[in-house]
Amino acid sequence: MGRGKIVIRRIDNSTNRQVTFSKRRGGLLKKAKELSILCDAEVGLVVFSSTGRLYEFCSTNMKSVIDRYTKAKEEQPAGLDATSQTKLWQREAASLRQQLHNLQESHKQLMGEELSRLGVTDLQGLENRLEMSLRSIKTRKDHLMRSEIEDLHRKGSLIHQENMELCRSLSIMSQQKMELSRQLQSCQEANKSSSTPYNFLQAANIPSDVEPSQSQQKEHEHNKTGFPELG
């Protein structure tokens, strides 16, 4: 269920009134700070509690904001004469010079310089601005770092896939090399077998130590004596 509509009127209970004031005062100051940072606006906020306590916020310098407000209220509408127009432009130029001076002072204060003239409230406001700026810087830095890490992960994945492809290619080349080596060895063994002299005795399965037959022995003796063999 949604929250009921709140009637905008004075809170009679003093405790509830003080609690509501504390909550809404904090939200109002926060919105004023965000408006000055997000929109580069010059913001001055002054709040007095029912007890007379002062709460304020200023994006630059409260005195310069009040002076600028006073001068803006004193300006006349269009249709001024030349003298009034000149004075108006002079005031505008003076206001711009004052803004430039305030910006220079603010820059120095953000760098930690010329802090001796600042009171507790001004120092607290400066600290809040620095904390908000630091959070914005950290958020941006974390975003960039996450983007770079994701990019590195993608590149690492691509490199890993390329390495796997190279390993598979090397494995295929190694297998092809081994196959070529086996074929070359088989060819060398075949060539070696064809160049060996043929052994007829072994081919005919005739023992090499068989003795000559009797007719061969007689023919050998006849050749030694030189006489023909008789009847």
Side-chain angles (χ1 to χ4, degrees):
M1 296 177 62
R3 296 177 58 185
K5 185 177 180 181
I6 299 176
V7 179
I8 303 301
R9 66 181 182 182
R10 183 179 181 275
I11 300 175
D12 296 330
N13 186 285
S14 59
T15 302
N16 294 339
R17 185 167 61 246
Q18 183 62 33
V19 171
T20 303
F21 174 78
S22 298
K23 290 181 179 179
R24 300 214 172 196
R25 180 201 68 212
L28 182 61
L29 292 173
K30 181 179 178 182
K31 292 296 183 181
K33 295 174 185 176
E34 293 176 353
L35 178 64
S36 64
I37 294 174
L38 295 174
C39 303
D40 194 23
E42 188 176 10
V43 180
L45 175 64
V46 178
V47 179
F48 288 97
S49 68
S50 59
T51 59
R53 186 172 179 179
L54 171 64
Y55 301 92
E56 65 179 48
F57 167 78
C58 184
S59 59
T60 54
N61 182 274
M62 184 61 72
K63 185 177 181 303
S64 65
V65 172
I66 294 175
D67 291 341
R68 185 179 181 185
Y69 170 77
T70 304
K71 292 176 181 178
K73 292 291 292 183
E74 292 175 352
E75 292 178 356
Q76 298 296 325
L80 301 176
D81 55 17
T83 303
S84 300
Q85 190 72 20
T86 302
K87 291 181 179 179
L88 176 62
W89 286 113
Q90 287 176 350
R91 286 196 299 268
E92 187 66 23
S95 176
L96 292 175
R97 284 194 295 269
Q98 183 63 39
Q99 291 182 38
L100 177 61
H101 176 71
N102 293 337
L103 289 174
Q104 291 174 345
E105 283 190 348
S106 177
H107 176 72
K108 292 179 180 179
Q109 292 169 2
L110 290 173
M111 298 300 294
E113 302 174 0
E114 298 185 5
L115 301 178
S116 58
R117 295 179 295 175
L118 299 180
V120 176
T121 304
D122 294 332
L123 291 173
Q124 183 65 42
L126 179 61
E127 183 180 3
N128 293 335
R129 290 172 60 194
L130 289 173
E131 288 178 353
M132 294 182 67
S133 300
L134 184 58
R135 284 196 295 269
S136 299
I137 292 171
K138 287 183 176 180
T139 301
R140 178 59 179 170
K141 184 190 71 174
D142 293 341
H143 175 71
L144 291 176
M145 291 182 67
R146 284 194 297 268
S147 298
E148 291 179 358
I149 290 173
E150 291 175 357
D151 188 47
L152 290 175
H153 283 167
R154 287 193 295 270
K155 291 181 179 179
S157 178
L158 292 175
I159 292 174
H160 178 69
Q161 293 178 2
E162 291 178 357
N163 288 337
M164 295 295 294
E165 291 293 333
L166 288 174
C167 289
R168 283 193 289 268
S169 299
L170 289 174
S171 177
I172 293 173
M173 292 175 65
S174 177
Q175 294 176 1
Q176 292 176 350
K177 183 179 179 181
M178 293 176 63
E179 182 65 24
L180 289 174
S181 298
R182 285 195 295 267
Q183 293 178 2
L184 179 61
Q185 186 177 1
S186 299
C187 291
Q188 290 176 348
E189 291 177 354
N191 292 334
K192 184 177 179 181
S193 300
S194 63
S195 61
T196 303
Y198 189 79
N199 193 329
F200 293 98
L201 295 177
Q202 292 180 354
N205 295 325
I206 301 174
S208 60
D209 56 347
V210 175
E211 294 182 357
S213 63
Q214 293 180 359
S215 60
Q216 289 177 342
Q217 291 180 357
K218 289 181 180 181
E219 183 179 358
H220 179 66
E221 291 177 355
H222 172 74
N223 291 333
K224 290 173 68 174
T225 57
F227 296 100
E229 183 180 1
L230 297 177

